[in-house]
Amino acid sequence: HDGLGRKQSDLSSDQRQQRLLERPSLLQYLSYTFNFHTFFAGPICTLKEHLVFMDGSYHMDPDPKPRNVTYPVYSIVSKLVYALLCLAVFTILGKYMSVDYLLDPKYMTSFPSMPITCMLAGTLIRFRFYLIWILADSINNAAGMGFNGYDKDGNPKWDLMTNIKVFEIELALNVRGGFNAFNSTCGKWLRRVCFDRAPFSPTVATLLLSALWHGLYPAYYLMFVFGSVSLMAGRKLRKTVRPYFLSSWGLKLGYDFLSLAATRASYDSMMLVKNFLQLEQALLYWSYSYYLPIIASFVVAVALPVGKSRKEKDSVQSTDKQFVTYPDNISHAKEIKLG
């Protein structure tokens, strides 16, 4: 659509990079749709990225001359090791901590056990996703998919299909940081198809689309509504409250610690409810915390001023700017050989 139905001047940098000026063949389209590297659990790539991968060609900008790209042995092995570690953690600890505990009054009515149970159960559930997506990233690299240009030292990067960044999620100081690092290729897809094109309320529209895409279970919609409010609350806190804590190292450290704790509480209140699926179970789980994370997020989102808006970054920066720019006509791209 962007390549054949819209003017180039109306496109963002990312849309110009991903546009197609030639209609793909039926075989190319089916190859992209049923690509086994991404079909079952992601990560998602664009049609342009898939065609360049299948063609074996890239056009490097600003240096157009071909460069040899070594086979990513280190990237494959290291990601495989991380996946096995996630598998070990989930297998060994999973039997001691089930999401069923989250509905058991024995564990959820006392203060010491309730937050600990939520934190451990939420972490183990995330490790299940870490395992799947890190393993998928390694498999894509093994197939030759995932080359993302060169770093500042001239070394090839193989993170185009990286879908999860564990430390950025677990140590995020706001919900937005965790969202950007979790299922990030899906986040790029949502931004490209919805956020950058929505005529109004792009955040709400994007979260609603994501909820519809996940399914029709009521708990999904509770999760995404709360997620939208949490994003708004975090944005307002960062713009209006955080500047008062930057005057000293101690104040900033204290603010960061509270932000980390609040982000983890938001994770547990938001991401765990989708495992219950049913509305009654989700509300029961929230009731054990007296709905405090939800109420606090709503109060902050409504009470705090908007703050000074920052000039929007270019769309390609907001989707983890990539260093590979693909040619409009893939068949005339310069080849980079794996060797």
Side-chain angles (χ1 to χ4, degrees):
H1 172 70
D2 290 339
L4 299 176
R6 299 179 63 190
K7 296 180 180 179
Q8 182 174 350
S9 58
D10 296 335
L11 304 178
S12 67
S13 298
D14 183 66
Q15 290 168 349
R16 286 194 296 270
Q17 181 183 359
Q18 300 297 337
R19 65 177 181 164
L20 294 174
L21 296 182
E22 298 176 356
R23 192 181 304 276
S25 66
L26 178 61
L27 179 61
Q28 289 175 320
Y29 179 75
L30 293 177
S31 172
Y32 170 69
T33 304
F34 298 106
N35 173 22
F36 79 92
H37 297 140
T38 63
F39 182 73
F40 291 105
I44 299 172
C45 66
T46 65
L47 179 56
K48 186 69 168 284
E49 291 165 348
H50 176 76
L51 293 178
V52 170
F53 162 63
M54 296 300 295
D55 186 72
S57 304
Y58 293 87
H59 180 81
M60 301 302 299
D61 187 24
D63 183 6
K65 65 181 180 180
R67 288 192 268 185
N68 290 329
V69 181
T70 57
Y71 191 71
V73 176
Y74 175 78
S75 178
I76 296 169
V77 174
S78 61
K79 292 171 183 176
L80 182 60
V81 170
Y82 292 147
L84 292 176
L85 289 175
C86 292
L87 176 62
V89 170
F90 183 76
T91 303
I92 295 172
L93 300 181
K95 59 183 179 181
Y96 299 108
M97 182 57 60
S98 168
V99 294
D100 295 335
Y101 290 150
L102 301 176
L103 299 178
D104 191 341
K106 177 182 178 182
Y107 298 97
M108 298 298 291
T109 53
S110 62
F111 174 73
S113 64
M114 188 267 288
I116 293 175
T117 300
C118 292
M119 182 186 67
L120 292 178
T123 301
L124 287 175
I125 288 174
R126 287 195 294 276
F127 265 83
R128 182 173 59 191
F129 292 99
Y130 299 162
L131 164 64
I132 294 172
W133 284 326
I134 294 175
L135 180 61
D137 192 9
S138 177
I139 292 173
N140 275 282
N141 289 170
M145 179 65 172
F147 176 68
N148 195 24
Y150 299 89
D151 61 18
K152 61 182 180 180
D153 298 322
N155 300 314
K157 301 195 307 178
W158 289 88
D159 59 356
L160 180 65
M161 303 298 286
T162 296
N163 205 31
I164 205 85
K165 298 177 182 178
V166 177
F167 292 104
E168 292 186 20
I169 295 171
E170 298 300 330
L171 299 178
L173 299 181
N174 53 69
V175 174
R176 180 185 178 186
F179 275 8
N180 289 341
F182 186 87
N183 201 2
S184 55
T185 60
C186 181
K188 296 175 186 178
W189 173 75
L190 287 169
R191 174 173 287 275
R192 284 164 172 158
V193 302
C194 183
F195 188 89
D196 290 340
R197 304 173 192 270
F200 56 88
S201 300
T203 299
V204 176
T206 302
L207 289 174
L208 180 60
L209 172 61
S210 184
L212 290 171
W213 180 49
H214 278 79
L216 299 178
Y217 290 103
Y220 286 152
Y221 296 89
L222 289 180
M223 178 183 70
F224 285 105
V225 168
F226 178 49
S228 178
V229 175
S230 297
L231 286 172
M232 187 183 303
R235 187 181 302 117
K236 288 187 174 183
L237 280 172
R238 187 170 183 84
K239 289 182 177 180
T240 60
V241 177
R242 185 174 180 270
Y244 294 102
F245 291 84
L246 300 180
S247 57
S248 69
W249 178 84
L251 286 175
K252 184 179 183 301
L253 181 63
Y255 177 86
D256 289 345
F257 177 79
L258 292 176
S259 297
L260 177 62
T263 301
R264 292 303 296 265
S266 296
Y267 282 169
D268 297 335
S269 299
M270 176 176 34
M271 299 183 67
L272 287 175
V273 295
K274 74 184 185 68
N275 291 276
F276 303 128
L277 301 180
Q278 300 303 321
L279 181 63
E280 296 79 7
Q281 294 176 323
L283 293 177
L284 175 62
Y285 166 68
W286 277 351
S287 70
Y288 288 130
S289 62
Y290 303 101
Y291 302 95
L292 290 179
I294 294 89
I295 294 173
S297 296
F298 271 94
V299 170
V300 171
V302 173
L304 289 181
V306 176
K308 295 181 179 180
S309 61
R310 198 172 50 174
K311 185 178 181 180
E312 291 293 331
K313 293 184 178 181
D314 190 77
S315 176
V316 68
Q317 293 177 331
S318 64
T319 54
D320 290 336
K321 183 177 180 180
Q322 302 170 6
F323 293 92
V324 176
T325 56
Y326 305 115
D328 291 331
N329 188 339
I330 297 175
S331 60
H332 293 93
K334 293 182 178 293
E335 182 179 0
I336 289 186
K337 298 180 179 180
L338 290 175

